[in-house]
Amino acid sequence: RVEADGLASTILTKCDPHWGAYFHYEQDRSFTVREAARIQSFPDHFIFYGNTAEQYAQVGNAVPPLLAKAVGLSIKRMLEQ
């Protein structure tokens, strides 16, 4: 189980207990696609396509948007110097 106010670990491409998925801090279930996407910093309006397994794979394989933004801004600052 994750801690409600703790840090999240790597989001996997399969939210299945047999693959080491993390369980909801309070309920007896793994994360939903939307919850996994939130942990990855995707906004709620972002749409994932395909069946549930394909959506989990998209979230798990993605670079978190806020991480990508931070890297991009860092590169931009370096290029502007």
Side-chain angles (χ1 to χ4, degrees):
R1 286 194 189 277
V2 298
E3 294 181 27
D5 295 325
L7 297 174
S9 190
T10 302
I11 295 296
L12 305 174
T13 58
K14 296 181 181 181
C15 280
D16 180 309
H18 301 288
W19 288 87
Y22 295 96
F23 285 94
H24 190 272
Y25 62 92
E26 190 175 78
Q27 300 173 6
D28 291 329
R29 61 178 179 81
S30 57
F31 291 131
T32 65
V33 172
R34 182 57 53 200
E35 289 167 337
R38 285 179 185 147
I39 291 170
Q40 287 280 74
S41 77
F42 281 93
D44 282 346
H45 67 268
F46 195 91
I47 299 170
F48 297 94
Y49 291 96
N51 63 38
T52 303
E54 293 168 335
Q55 291 178 28
Y56 277 122
Q58 291 169 43
V59 173
N61 285 328
V63 174
L66 292 181
L67 173 61
K69 180 180 179 180
V71 170
L73 290 174
S74 179
I75 291 170
K76 180 182 176 190
R77 282 193 299 272
M78 289 177 63
L79 293 174
E80 291 174 342
Q81 292 179 354

